[in-house]
């Protein structure tokens, strides 16, 4: 079992929903983003998604695109991102870390080298949004063989014919994208999400976590109430972009986490 599996088992035993938070590695700089990352578990975060900055993001809205650009302008690299994980693990060996990004930086490093380095650093899972199931042999299957969860995204346009393919090699959890389009573009609606989550859960035993369009504790609670938990990214990244002090960013995260845990 990975840290992700252990975390969901613990949450289930406690009757609680999961709260997953996303930050971009290296935004506003490596040291500051590591400080935020270290503070997330204390703010109630169950799983950390750590964005790997990339020059040509496709699924990310303007908020996360700009965060990635700031990180790259500051010299953030895949190696520095892995070092953030190593540094985090010196103080925390229990909170799962999922790297979220695109295939190019991994391909450039070399899949075998990347998987070895990620596992040793303390990474638990990967979300690579531009690798469809048809390319599972590229990274998904080797990642799972290396002991890393490979988390797939399902969307409102993932129909009944496509869903089994999406779920085929997915592990850890299923990330359900609550809206069509990019991150941070619209508000998630529990009434729309609930039947989609039920459809996925009918086809898989994996937890279903809902992301995109969540920015308030009330919305986090509403969405978590119809799923196994929720993810917040753009709204947290915007706090960082606005230059909010560390305590204020973590206070905002704590409010979201409390909402999700009430779900």
């Amino acid at each position: 079992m990975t840290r992700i599996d252990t975390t969901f088992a613990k949450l289930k035993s406690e009757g609680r929903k999961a709260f997953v938070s996303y930050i971009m590695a290296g935004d506003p700089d490596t040291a500051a983003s590591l400080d935020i990352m270290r503070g997330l578990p204390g703010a109630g975060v169950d799983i950390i998604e750590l964005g790997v900055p990339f020059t040509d993001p496709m699924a990310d809205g303007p908020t996360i695109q700009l965060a990635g650009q700031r990180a790259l302008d500051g010299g953030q690299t895949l190696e520095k991102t892995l070092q953030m994980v190593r540094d985090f693990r010196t103080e925390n060996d229990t909170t799962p870390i999922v790297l979220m990004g695109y295939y190019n930086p991994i391909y450039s490093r070399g899949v075998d080298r990347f998987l070895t380095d990620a596992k040793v650093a303390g990474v638990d899972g990967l979300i690579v949004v531009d690798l469809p199931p048809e390319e599972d042999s590229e990274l998904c299957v080797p990642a799972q063989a290396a002991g890393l969860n490979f988390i797939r995204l399902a969307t409102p346009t993932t129909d009944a014919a496509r869903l089994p393919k999406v779920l085929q090699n997915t592990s850890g959890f299923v990330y359900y994208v609550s809206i069509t389009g990019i991150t941070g573009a619209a508000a998630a609606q529990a009434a729309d999400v609930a039947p989609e989550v039920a459809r996925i859960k009918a086809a898989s035993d994996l937890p279903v976590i809902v992301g995109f369009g969540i920015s308030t504790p009330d919305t986090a609670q509403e969405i978590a109430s119809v799923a196994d938990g929720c993810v917040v990214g753009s709204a947290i990244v915007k706090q960082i972009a606005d230059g909010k002090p560390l305590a204020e960013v973590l206070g905002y995260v704590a409010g979201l986490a409390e909402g999700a845990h009430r779900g």
Side-chain angles (χ1 to χ4, degrees):
M1 289 179 67
T2 66
R3 290 184 187 90
I4 296 171
D5 300 325
T6 301
T7 295
F8 278 112
K10 182 173 184 290
L11 287 166
K12 185 175 183 179
S13 72
E14 296 170 350
R16 291 197 304 140
K17 301 301 179 71
F19 180 64
V20 184
S21 70
Y22 170 99
I23 61 169
M24 177 66 74
D27 177 42
D29 57 62
T30 304
S33 60
L34 179 58
D35 286 343
I36 296 167
M37 185 180 179
R38 282 174 165 156
L40 292 174
V45 172
D46 299 300
I47 298 173
I48 297 170
E49 279 184 19
L50 187 62
V52 180
F54 179 54
T55 52
D56 298 278
M58 292 178 290
D60 300 310
T63 299
I64 292 179
Q65 285 184 29
L66 289 169
Q69 195 58 58
R70 287 191 298 270
L72 291 170
D73 289 345
Q76 188 72 12
T77 61
L78 177 55
E79 174 55 35
K80 288 183 178 180
T81 302
L82 290 172
Q83 187 59 49
M84 281 181 63
V85 178
R86 296 183 197 108
D87 291 342
F88 178 88
R89 286 288 177 228
T90 64
E91 300 178 4
N92 183 314
D93 194 43
T94 57
T95 303
I97 297 171
V98 175
L99 294 187
M100 183 170 187
Y102 300 85
Y103 185 44
N104 187 279
I106 297 169
Y107 178 80
S108 296
R109 189 179 186 88
V111 168
D112 291 343
R113 179 188 172 199
F114 167 76
L115 292 174
T116 299
D117 293 347
K119 182 67 176 176
V120 170
V123 173
D124 302 288
L126 305 174
I127 300 174
V128 183
V129 297
D130 56 347
L131 274 182
E134 287 74 15
E135 307 298 334
D136 273 359
S137 60
E138 284 282 324
L139 181 63
C140 174
V141 173
Q144 306 216 83
L148 297 171
N149 290 130
F150 198 89
I151 297 144
R152 192 86 68 190
L153 276 66
T155 75
T157 59
T158 305
D159 61 19
R162 182 65 174 168
L163 186 61
K165 189 75 172 176
V166 168
L167 296 175
Q168 182 175 312
N169 287 318
T170 299
S171 64
F173 62 92
V174 179
Y175 187 137
Y176 179 69
V177 176
S178 67
I179 58 173
T180 54
I182 53 176
T183 59
Q189 302 294 327
D192 297 330
V193 168
E196 294 299 301
V197 170
R199 183 166 68 94
I200 295 167
K201 291 182 80 66
S204 171
D205 293 331
L206 292 171
V208 180
I209 304 298
V210 178
F212 287 44
I214 302 167
S215 60
T216 68
D218 286 346
T219 306
Q221 179 180 357
E222 290 166 10
I223 296 300
S225 73
V226 298
D228 294 299
C230 67
V231 185
V232 178
S234 293
I236 297 170
V237 171
K238 187 177 186 305
Q239 296 280 314
I240 298 167
D242 289 345
K244 299 289 178 64
L246 176 63
E248 199 167 327
V249 173
L250 294 177
Y252 176 71
V253 172
L256 294 166
E258 184 181 351
H261 290 149
R262 287 197 309 263

